[in-house]
């Protein structure tokens, strides 16, 4: 199993977000079969969400983080409650 962490941030103004279970459901709904998504864990903090995406990809598959960021982007675009939220690119987290 492959774990990818994806960080989402909110716009500058304070906004309410959905409960973690609803965010996990949105991510599952946005997943395509080729994403091989098994489980989603979500942690919310002030102005950010961390999504742990567990997939059936091999640990050596280096394309998985990019694919999971794309999955999260699809989920954000599909949910009006996440208007103006965005994925923090992995390069900015280093």
């Amino acid at each position: 199993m492959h774990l990818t962490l994806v960080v989402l941030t909110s716009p500058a103004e304070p906004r309410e977000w959905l409960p973690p279970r609803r965010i996990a459901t949105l991510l599952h709904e946005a997943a395509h079969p080729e994403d091989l998504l098994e489980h989603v864990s979500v942690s919310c903090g002030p102005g950010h969400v961390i999504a742990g995406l567990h997939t059936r990809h091999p640990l050596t598959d280096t394309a998985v983080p990019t694919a999971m960021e794309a999955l999260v982007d699809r989920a954000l675009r599909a949910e009006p409650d996440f208007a103006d939220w965005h994925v923090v690119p992995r390069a900015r987290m280093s």
Side-chain angles (χ1 to χ4, degrees):
M1 189 160 297
H2 196 287
L3 170 63
T4 303
L5 298 178
V6 179
V7 177
L8 314 161
T9 60
S10 68
E13 74 248 16
R15 300 189 71 179
E16 290 192 30
W17 52 57
L18 298 171
R21 177 176 267 171
R22 179 66 182 132
I23 296 169
T25 299
L26 290 172
L27 294 172
H28 274 286
E29 290 171 351
H32 294 156
E34 62 271 15
D35 292 324
L36 303 176
L37 187 63
E38 282 289 311
H39 175 72
V40 176
S41 57
V42 176
S43 175
C44 297
H48 74 279
V49 172
I50 300 172
L53 303 156
H54 303 262
T55 66
R56 293 187 313 270
H57 292 96
L59 291 174
T60 56
D61 189 339
T62 59
V64 174
T66 301
M68 294 303 100
E69 287 180 355
L71 185 161
V72 174
D73 279 336
R74 285 194 305 271
L76 293 177
R77 287 192 309 271
E79 179 55 56
D81 288 335
F82 279 107
D84 300 326
W85 282 67
H86 64 277
V87 172
V88 177
R90 286 174 289 122
R92 284 188 32 208
M93 292 190 301
S94 304

